[in-house]
Amino acid sequence: NSAAGIFIADAETAKVLDANKRAEAMTGRTREELIGLGRAPLHPLDQPGDRAGSERGDAVIEKKDGTRVQVQLSTALIEVGGKKVIQELFEDISERKRIEDELKLSESKFRDLAETIPDLVWETDEAGIYSYVSPEIKQLLGYEVSETHGKSPFDFIYGEDEEAADGF
């Protein structure tokens, strides 16, 4: 009844000895079809993440119909009834990966826009410290972007403006 797919495989041959219902659903194969399969039909060798010896990481499993599913894979060598077996747990992370890719694209669009417009664009964190400053700061104020790291907008106010900013 685990939410993760689980295989138990022979430690020497890496052939599946048992699988849970979630593994059946995630691979599109029945338990009977899974038993006896080796790693190759389940983990495409051309995909990163075919890590027979790793303990945890992202991988790909291939369903019976040939579609590939991104999973977080966790393997452990355990002993069951005096026999060493590989326990492999895997969870579908396709949705998480899709959201991460959308976020990267959104960040890239923001950065492209912020770095090409002739205005100063900045972002601060909750404490008012710059988390982003566009390169236009050099043209407008004479500072390098690196000079803003760890500083707030108030660190760049001088003279009479400093007195006016004291109330903020």
Side-chain angles (χ1 to χ4, degrees):
N1 292 325
S2 173
I6 302 173
F7 292 141
I8 301 295
D10 182 274
E12 292 179 25
T13 66
K15 292 192 182 218
V16 175
L17 301 172
D18 203 358
N20 71 348
K21 293 217 178 281
R22 184 69 179 136
E24 289 180 298
M26 288 178 69
T27 63
R29 293 178 169 92
T30 65
R31 182 175 173 269
E32 291 73 26
E33 291 173 310
L34 289 167
I35 292 175
L37 282 180
R39 288 184 61 79
L42 300 170
H43 299 289
L45 297 176
D46 65 330
Q47 292 295 306
D50 182 43
R51 323 170 202 267
S54 83
E55 293 182 3
R56 189 168 180 84
D58 291 353
V60 173
I61 60 169
E62 190 166 272
K63 296 175 82 165
K64 184 178 181 177
D65 67 6
T67 59
R68 294 178 177 190
V69 179
Q70 293 178 310
V71 297
Q72 172 129 44
L73 182 66
S74 180
T75 61
L77 187 61
I78 61 173
E79 197 169 305
V80 175
K83 181 175 182 168
K84 290 191 187 255
V85 295
I86 300 166
Q87 176 183 303
E88 188 171 277
L89 284 79
F90 51 100
E91 296 180 72
D92 187 337
I93 58 170
S94 302
E95 181 66 9
R96 183 188 90 198
K97 289 289 191 181
R98 184 190 65 74
I99 291 169
E100 287 173 357
D101 290 345
E102 285 180 9
L103 182 59
K104 285 178 190 172
L105 181 60
S106 177
E107 287 174 349
S108 175
K109 286 179 180 179
F110 166 78
R111 191 166 306 279
D112 288 348
L113 177 65
E115 292 183 0
T116 56
I117 62 173
D119 292 321
L120 179 59
V121 177
W122 73 89
E123 178 180 56
T124 61
D125 63 16
E126 314 78 47
I129 304 300
Y130 285 119
S131 55
Y132 174 82
V133 176
S134 66
E136 194 63 22
I137 195 166
K138 177 71 173 170
Q139 179 69 28
L140 294 173
L141 301 176
Y143 293 102
E144 297 294 334
V145 171
S146 62
E147 293 178 90
T148 67
H149 294 278
K151 298 191 175 177
S152 79
F154 297 107
D155 292 323
F156 298 94
I157 298 174
Y158 300 101
E160 293 173 9
D161 292 335
E162 192 172 12
E163 290 173 25
D166 278 342
F168 289 101

